[in-house]
Every structure is written in structure tokens, then in C-alpha cells.
Amino acid sequence: MQIAFIGLGNMGAPMAINLVKAGHSVKAFDLSAPALAKVQAEGGQAAASAEEAVKGAEVVISMLPASQHVEGLYLGRDGAGGLLAHIAKGVLVIDSSTIAAATSQKVAKAAEAAGIAFIDAPVSGGTGGAIAGTLTFMVGGADADLERARPLLEKMGKNIFHAGAVGAGQTAKICNNMLLGILMIGTSEAIALGVANGLDPKVLSEIMRRSSGGNWALEVYNPYPGVQENSAATRGYTGGFGTDLMLKDLGLAQESAMAVRASTPLGGMARALYAAHSLAGHGPEDFSSVIKMMQKK
């Protein structure tokens, strides 16, 4: 299948590479030349622009940082035409960015008017899951469109959930990431408390992992350096899911909560803590670096 892949960050690049390894023809575009070179080295094609990438594509996949990037890409900015004008009728668009549900719905409506199918399919599983092809996809869209996408999603992930209509995938994702942000803060507090009392972080982490405090952070994403060989913490909090991206997702969760008058006090507190962590200069670091706020200086 001829696929256009737009957005080759820490998640997008390995996802595109997995599609190449599965035998698909992938023409990719990103503003970063090194990111494009990485995909090229694995057999993908580099496009000079997003418009060039979608020429002849049967499916378009995007993985971008935020709502404004997705809306700007597909609908254009300042009156300029967006990418939808360059995508052929009948093509399927899969947006795996984590953005506001309302933005997904806005783009989907414009796509439908242009004869283009659209689903939102944000992911969970981190960079490790993206590399291993074990991501979880949370999909919003029509049944038929999901079934068209499924053979490709299965090459990038192992769990595919149909959350509902367009936008539902985004809602599921922000609920998940709000919980993840809360869990990472709690896990960081517990480990920092144990270490301050003289405990070995590896021993304490294993005790909690196998006890009632067990969670995903302890299983595969420990925030303490050296506890897990492949964690972002052990890599100096690089190459993972940035603090500023977590802050963005927690902001989306709070906007959603306000829109439906839902109570999310821990989500609000988590957002405030990540905002303070970002302002302290840790925005580009992996979100697990929030443990630095709890450690004794």
C-alpha cells in the first residue's frame, strides 16, 4: 500500500519504519532532516513537502504535536489552503496525534465534505511501544473506516480499541494520559520518600511493583535513573515523552472536564505540578523527570 506519513518525532519515526518493514511503500515528510534520514535509512522515501508526500497515497497518517499543527496541516492557516485540497477523494486519513476532540471533529467534517475518510487514532505505549510495534490505538470514527485502517494499525500496535465516533479516540486518550500523569507523580513521590529514608530505589520499586501500588510506571517506565536499563530516566530523561507534551495533554483533559462540568481535582493538581516543572526548565525532558521536584537537594 502507498502510505504518506507526516510527522517523524520520537513516536512517528518508529511507527513509519514498522510500516516499511511490513512491506508498505512509505513516503514521509517532517521538518527535521535527520528524522527523514532515519526513515530513509530503513527503506522509506523522503518527500520535500507534505503535499508531495500525499501524491498517489492511498492512506495518509499524521503524528503531530498539538491541535494547532493538525488543523494547520489539513485546513491551512491564515486563509491558505490545507493538505485536504491535495489528497485524492476516497483516501483514508489516520491522525494519531493527541489533540482536542473538537479539532478532530472539525478536520473530519472538512474531510467528509472533500470525499475523504478520517479517523482519529491516538496511541499509548511510549517510544518503546512504537519501536516494538506494540502500541495501543484508541480509535474514533466509522466502523468501515476503522476496518480499512486495521491492517496498518496492526503493524504498529497490538491493541486496537474502537472508542466511538470521531473524537472519541481523543477523549479516551486524554483520560488515559491524565491518569498516567497522576500515577507518575505518585510513583515519583513514593520512590523519593523511600530513597530519602535510605532505601535502595531498585528494591523499593520491585516491592511496590509486586504489591498493591503496582502500576505502568513501575513496570516499564521507572522515573528513578538506573532502576530500568531502557527507561528515559536512565538516558538522562531524553528520547521519551516530554514534560511539555504531558502538560499539553493535561490541559486538554481540564478543558474537556470544564466543558462537561466533570470533577477532576487530581488532574488539575497534576497539571499545576507539571506546569511548575516546565517553568523550572524541564519542559523538553521526559515527563518522568517530575521526580526531581520530590528529591532532596
Side-chain angles (χ1 to χ4, degrees):
M1 188 175 290
Q2 180 66 46
I3 301 167
F5 204 110
I6 300 166
L8 304 173
N10 290 336
M11 298 292 288
M15 290 167 67
I17 289 169
N18 281 333
L19 290 172
V20 173
K21 290 179 177 179
H24 296 289
S25 177
V26 178
K27 187 179 290 186
F29 173 71
D30 193 278
L31 295 175
S32 166
L36 277 171
K38 184 177 180 180
V39 174
Q40 272 188 295
E42 297 291 340
Q45 305 169 57
S49 65
E51 290 78 10
E52 180 185 322
V54 302
K55 288 181 180 177
E58 300 168 75
V59 176
V60 177
I61 302 174
S62 49
M63 187 58 146
L64 301 174
S67 294
Q68 65 267 28
H69 304 110
V70 174
E71 185 170 343
L73 173 69
Y74 288 110
L75 305 184
R77 296 187 180 92
D78 302 322
L83 193 62
L84 288 180
H86 300 270
I87 298 174
K89 287 186 177 181
V91 167
L92 172 65
V93 172
I94 304 171
D95 180 46
S96 288
S97 315
T98 297
I99 59 175
T103 301
S104 289
Q105 291 160 351
K106 182 177 181 180
V107 175
K109 185 176 180 180
E112 182 180 12
I116 298 166
F118 179 96
I119 62 172
D120 57 298
V123 302
S124 179
T127 52
I131 293 168
T134 58
L135 293 170
T136 292
F137 284 90
M138 308 163 206
V139 180
D143 291 338
D145 295 333
L146 169 56
E147 292 313 308
R148 285 180 63 188
R150 188 179 296 276
L152 299 179
L153 301 183
E154 288 175 342
K155 300 303 181 184
M156 299 180 286
K158 68 174 184 178
N159 300 303
I160 301 168
F161 293 100
H162 192 188
V166 171
Q170 300 296 348
T171 300
K173 176 61 188 291
I174 63 170
C175 290
N176 178 79
N177 276 25
M178 182 178 75
L179 178 58
L180 174 59
I182 294 167
L183 287 172
M184 184 57 77
I185 290 169
T187 300
S188 296
E189 283 190 357
I191 293 175
L193 174 61
V195 171
N197 278 282
L199 295 184
D200 183 319
K202 285 189 177 181
V203 174
L204 175 59
S205 293
E206 185 64 10
I207 290 170
M208 294 192 296
R209 186 180 75 84
R210 294 180 178 272
S211 303
S212 55
N215 63 69
W216 187 82
L218 288 169
E219 288 285 346
V220 299
Y221 218 84
N222 197 290
Y224 200 94
V227 173
Q228 290 170 336
E229 182 180 349
N230 296 318
S231 71
T234 301
R235 300 192 302 269
Y237 301 104
T238 62
F241 184 64
T243 291
D244 283 342
L245 289 175
M246 174 56 80
L247 180 58
K248 181 260 296 183
D249 290 356
L250 290 168
L252 290 173
Q254 290 307 294
E255 290 172 12
S256 178
M258 287 188 288
V260 297
R261 299 174 65 85
S263 177
T264 55
L266 290 180
M269 186 177 294
R271 183 178 184 274
L273 288 171
Y274 276 105
H277 189 51
S278 177
L279 286 171
H282 304 287
E285 296 176 356
D286 184 79
F287 79 107
S288 62
S289 65
V290 73
I291 195 173
K292 293 179 180 180
M293 297 182 73
M294 294 86 179
Q295 291 172 311
K296 291 178 68 175
K297 302 294 187 290

